[in-house]
Amino acid sequence: MGRITLDKVRKAFGDTEVIPPLDLTIEDGEFVVFVGPSGCGKSTLLRLIAGLEDVSGGEIRIDGKPATDLPPAKRGLAMVFQSYALYPHMTVRKNITFPLKMAGMSEEEKKRRVDHAAEVLNLTDYLDRRPGQLSGGQRQRVAIGRAIVREPAAFLFDEPLSNLDAALRVGMRLEISELHERLKTTMVYVTHDQVEAMTMADKIVVLRAGNIEQVGSPLDLYRTPRNLFVAGFIGSPTMNLIDGAEAAKHDARTIGIRPEHIDVVGDGPWQGKVGVSEHLGSDTFFHVHETGLADIITVRAPGEVNHRAGDTIRLSPQMDKLHRFGQDGLRIA
Amino acid sequence: MATQHSRAAARFMIAPSVVLLLAWMLIPLGMTLYFSFLRYNLLMPGNNPFVGFENYAYFVTDPAFQAAIVNTLLLVGGILLITVVGGIALAVLLDQPMWGTGIVRIMVISPFFVMPTVSALVWKNMFMNPVNGLFAYIAEVLGMQPFDFLTQAPLASIIGIVSWQWLPFATLILLTAMQSLDSEQLEASEMDGASAWSRFYYIKLPHLARAITVVVLIQTIFLLSIFAEILVTTNGGPGTASTNLTYLVYAESLLRFDVGTGSAGGVIAIILANIVAIFLMRMIGKNLDA
Ligand SMILES: Nc1ncnc2c1ncn2[C@@H]1O[C@H](COP(=O)(O)OP(=O)(O)OP(=O)(O)O)[C@@H](O)[C@H]1O
Ligand SMILES: [Mg+2]
């Protein structure tokens, strides 16, 4: 079980309010990802849930029971830190056993759980090594192992993959998703990498300056961003945002269109000069200048498409994929 | 220093300082060795005949020698114990966020800036003196007999004085080590359910192991040759109760004017210091590798 409820939770460091009163419910078994720009309070929110920071107001409930004043160890949550935070002088086995030892568990039970975790995480061959003798990915798995053995109500991850190289990150992303699939335990995951957020989450929470901008499934956020901030934040490359006359034609202050929803066609209504082309093989991204709409319009064309820099092309937005935003930045239905 | 050529050049350039340092060390050592084999007493001028190991035999069979060895070990051991345990305790305390930490830290460090002779005199005359000392005054206020520290417990008193001098050193090194501990490790252990004591025992103490090794090694080197504090407070007495090896060498060569025996004692002290150093390296040096 692991249902976490935040009720008007607030956090201030001295006079600066980092998190204004905030409500959020994380359902049992859900994989929730917090995303947002650097410094928006993702880590702080996670640490409030973990109990590593005291709330300045509001209430945290875990499985319906008040947890606001419980010390971290009593909340039944396990955390995986960005720096792994392994104990360098202990072997992998001792590291993973540590929480069980602190809980005063019997020797057989400790051994059973550690061996099981090591098997799940492919760590069996490394149990007698020290963290210093492991690769980054292995260290990350040890940190996860240390969290698993406690059989917590929920896992908290704070940017666990940001120290890994790109290839390893993709691998670990998959492993964590599979782990969630198997354990079905609630996971709360902080990242600023939106690919991680989109691929792993059941539910994404977009934060800005401590405020929740939108909560929803990855595709909800992609299809119907609630405001300009979410529209610009979710999706890669970012959505093209167009102000002015073109937007006024659609009765909006700003319109948004994703690069993948613009077609290059001979008779499109928009026209511009090709700038940089980024060839990814599977797709090609063009930066189009001098459209009279915005500085740059990014266009995504499937496959290998060649337009030389300086060529003039015509573009056609897919009208049903157009996002409209009003004066207040909110989406117009 | 990658290529043969640059290595040769480097050797050539550091050669003068190496030669100078070597001479600086070898000449006094050679002279001490040389004197230790001569009958050379300043009270009996004349020729100084070569006498082989006679001086060594005298020095070692002197009843004061055994006492001096025991005292040296007690001094070093006692002071190490007090400074390491006390240093850890103070480091833990000073690591806590509290009001006025800056001032407290400076106060803790200040004994280290006081010259050994001065601090020994201050302790002797202002604290431990059975008539005028602060401790005697306190004892009197409490209605007890004043305790004459330097005659009744000379060695323990010197251990106390020197520990007071070295405690700041240990505290400083251990505190810096403590502050280099990754706070996420502490938070992780907190999440893992470790109590304050477990956090200290399983996380902080192992983290300090290397710093403790450094403190022990450095202090041992200096503590083997404590001299000023003994000279100023007890003069090695009463009897030989507070004579250590260094003081015994001093007594032989400068109080009894026996340069030969004093030199022999010096050589023995060097050998003993090396034995201790090798033992220490064996026992705790492996902490430094990891
Ligand atoms: N102990 C603290 N004292 C004062 N301010 C703090 C403290 N910890 C965090 N803050 C402030 O709170 C804000 C949110 O910090 P937080 O670490 O939660 O950001 P984040 O979203 O995790 O950013 P990042 O993606 O860079 O990790 C920041 O503006 C930061 O300066
Ligand atoms: Mg963060």
Side-chain angles (χ1 to χ4, degrees):
Chain A
M1 283 295 287
R3 184 171 193 271
I4 302 169
T5 319
L6 306 186
D7 191 3
K8 306 230 168 16
V9 166
R10 209 185 124 251
K11 177 69 186 175
F13 291 107
D15 289 339
T16 43
E17 187 166 68
V18 175
I19 297 185
L22 168 154
D23 295 310
L24 180 68
T25 303
I26 296 165
E27 297 296 340
D28 182 37
E30 232 175 8
F31 197 121
V32 174
V33 174
F34 294 169
V35 285
S38 187
C40 69
K42 307 181 293 288
S43 299
T44 307
L45 190 57
L46 198 71
R47 292 165 58 83
L48 287 174
I49 296 174
L52 294 171
E53 302 277 359
D54 292 324
V55 297
S56 310
E59 203 186 356
I60 299 173
R61 280 189 300 277
I62 297 172
D63 289 334
K65 291 188 284 290
T68 320
D69 298 320
L70 286 182
K74 294 269 158 61
R75 300 191 181 192
L77 309 175
M79 183 146 166
V80 176
F81 292 83
Q82 180 174 359
S83 68
Y84 317 130
L86 299 178
Y87 311 128
H89 52 276
M90 298 184 196
T91 59
V92 169
R93 176 181 287 282
K94 290 215 173 109
N95 261 287
I96 300 180
T97 318
F98 190 73
L100 306 180
K101 185 168 166 179
M102 291 299 111
M105 220 166 257
S106 75
E107 286 302 324
E108 307 99 73
E109 180 66 9
K110 277 194 281 195
K111 186 160 166 31
R112 191 186 65 74
R113 287 206 193 184
V114 173
D115 287 343
H116 179 68
E119 206 180 296
V120 170
L121 294 164
N122 270 323
L123 284 170
T124 312
D125 295 341
Y126 308 107
L127 281 176
D128 294 320
R129 295 217 201 155
R130 301 261 176 115
Q133 301 163 316
L134 299 178
S135 73
Q138 289 163 346
R139 279 180 217 182
Q140 189 58 72
R141 285 206 289 265
V142 176
I144 294 174
R146 195 173 60 184
I148 294 182
V149 287
R150 297 177 53 198
E151 300 180 356
F155 292 97
L156 311 176
F157 294 90
D158 192 355
E159 308 207 18
L161 307 186
S162 56
N163 286 342
L164 303 179
D165 68 49
L168 205 51
R169 210 177 303 172
V170 175
M172 285 303 295
R173 207 163 76 197
L174 216 65
E175 281 188 38
I176 293 178
S177 293
E178 278 168 2
L179 195 69
H180 179 241
E181 214 45 48
R182 187 163 39 207
L183 298 176
K184 306 233 184 305
T185 312
T186 313
M187 292 191 176
V188 184
Y189 190 104
V190 166
T191 181
H192 57 247
D193 177 352
Q194 58 155 310
V195 180
E196 273 174 33
M198 296 295 283
T199 53
M200 299 169 88
D202 293 325
K203 185 159 105 185
I204 296 182
V205 177
V206 182
L207 291 166
R208 175 170 60 163
N211 288 300
I212 294 181
E213 294 290 318
Q214 188 169 3
V215 179
S217 74
L219 288 180
D220 274 349
L221 301 197
Y222 178 81
R223 289 198 200 109
T224 51
R226 202 175 67 87
N227 57 27
L228 274 174
F229 178 79
V230 178
F233 195 80
I234 298 287
S236 167
T238 51
M239 185 188 281
N240 298 298
L241 296 173
I242 299 162
D243 293 333
E246 186 68 24
K249 279 191 216 161
H250 299 273
D251 296 326
R253 168 75 203 280
T254 308
I255 55 170
I257 181 85
R258 295 194 185 278
E260 51 270 45
H261 298 145
I262 302 179
D263 301 318
V264 183
V265 287
D267 57 350
W270 298 345
Q271 174 184 322
K273 270 209 182 103
V274 174
V276 176
S277 316
E278 298 173 88
H279 296 277
L280 301 182
S282 58
D283 299 293
T284 309
F285 298 119
F286 298 109
H287 292 199
V288 182
H289 302 273
E290 297 174 29
T291 51
L293 304 164
D295 282 348
I296 298 175
I297 296 286
T298 317
V299 179
R300 171 179 171 181
E304 298 169 37
V305 181
N306 275 313
H307 289 294
R308 281 215 309 281
D311 282 359
T312 300
I313 55 174
R314 297 197 74 87
L315 307 169
S316 164
Q318 301 171 11
M319 281 307 163
D320 57 331
K321 297 284 169 57
L322 206 65
H323 304 271
R324 299 187 303 137
F325 301 94
Q327 203 66 36
D328 49 3
L330 289 182
R331 178 184 193 82
I332 302 171
Chain B
M1 305 270 172
T3 65
Q4 281 256 300
H5 184 76
S6 61
R7 227 174 292 152
R11 278 202 199 119
F12 180 72
M13 285 192 228
I14 59 172
S17 50
V18 170
V19 168
L20 194 71
L21 282 174
L22 216 60
W24 194 274
M25 192 189 87
L26 283 182
I27 291 174
L29 183 67
M31 287 180 70
T32 310
L33 264 175
Y34 172 66
F35 287 145
S36 72
F37 292 114
L38 299 182
R39 179 176 300 147
Y40 186 1
N41 193 317
L42 298 176
L43 295 178
M44 290 177 273
N47 60 343
N48 300 322
F50 183 80
V51 291
F53 283 94
E54 194 179 274
N55 286 327
Y56 288 90
Y58 275 132
F59 192 83
V60 172
T61 51
D62 186 343
F65 175 70
Q66 268 186 12
I69 296 270
V70 172
N71 286 344
T72 306
L73 294 181
L74 282 179
L75 266 177
V76 174
I79 296 165
L80 281 180
L81 191 73
I82 293 175
T83 48
V84 168
V85 173
I88 292 173
L90 277 175
V92 169
L93 276 180
L94 293 178
D95 196 31
Q96 311 294 326
M98 59 176 180
W99 188 82
T101 326
I103 293 173
V104 173
R105 274 183 204 165
I106 289 176
M107 277 167 54
V108 166
I109 291 157
S110 49
F112 207 49
F113 300 125
V114 183
M115 277 180 281
T117 26
V118 174
S119 75
L121 278 175
V122 167
W123 276 90
K124 178 186 179 184
N125 295 324
M126 298 181 70
F127 291 109
M128 294 177 165
N129 189 298
V131 181
N132 306 316
L134 189 67
F135 294 151
Y137 176 74
I138 293 173
E140 237 167 79
V141 167
L142 297 177
M144 294 188 301
Q145 273 293 322
F147 187 76
D148 188 355
F149 289 92
L150 290 170
T151 29
Q152 283 166 282
L155 198 64
S157 305
I158 291 174
I159 290 179
I161 295 172
V162 181
S163 297
W164 179 80
Q165 280 170 21
W166 280 93
L167 192 55
F169 173 77
T171 306
L172 207 59
I173 293 206
L174 295 173
L175 180 61
T176 0
M178 190 81 93
Q179 285 170 342
S180 74
L181 178 58
D182 177 17
S183 67
E184 283 199 346
Q185 258 179 54
L186 286 177
E187 287 175 347
S189 64
E190 206 176 327
M191 300 271 327
D192 284 345
S195 62
W197 167 253
S198 301
R199 282 205 294 282
F200 171 74
Y201 186 77
Y202 291 109
I203 314 293
K204 290 184 186 169
L205 210 52
H207 177 76
L208 290 182
R210 199 183 287 209
I212 293 175
T213 312
V214 170
V215 168
V216 169
L217 283 177
I218 293 181
Q219 286 201 16
T220 306
I221 293 166
F222 283 92
L223 295 178
L224 278 171
S225 56
I226 295 177
F227 176 72
E229 292 84 347
I230 299 177
L231 181 75
V232 171
T233 52
T234 64
N235 266 316
T240 54
S242 59
T243 298
N244 69 351
L245 214 48
T246 326
Y247 194 84
L248 188 63
V249 172
Y250 160 78
E252 283 297 339
S253 41
L254 292 170
L255 298 182
R256 274 164 232 146
F257 300 103
D258 188 343
V259 176
T261 311
S263 299
V267 173
I268 290 174
I270 293 169
I271 294 169
L272 284 182
N274 277 291
I275 293 175
V276 171
I278 290 170
F279 261 106
L280 277 179
M281 283 298 194
R282 279 276 167 78
M283 272 192 311
I284 55 181
K286 62 177 187 294
N287 269 341
L288 291 175
D289 300 339

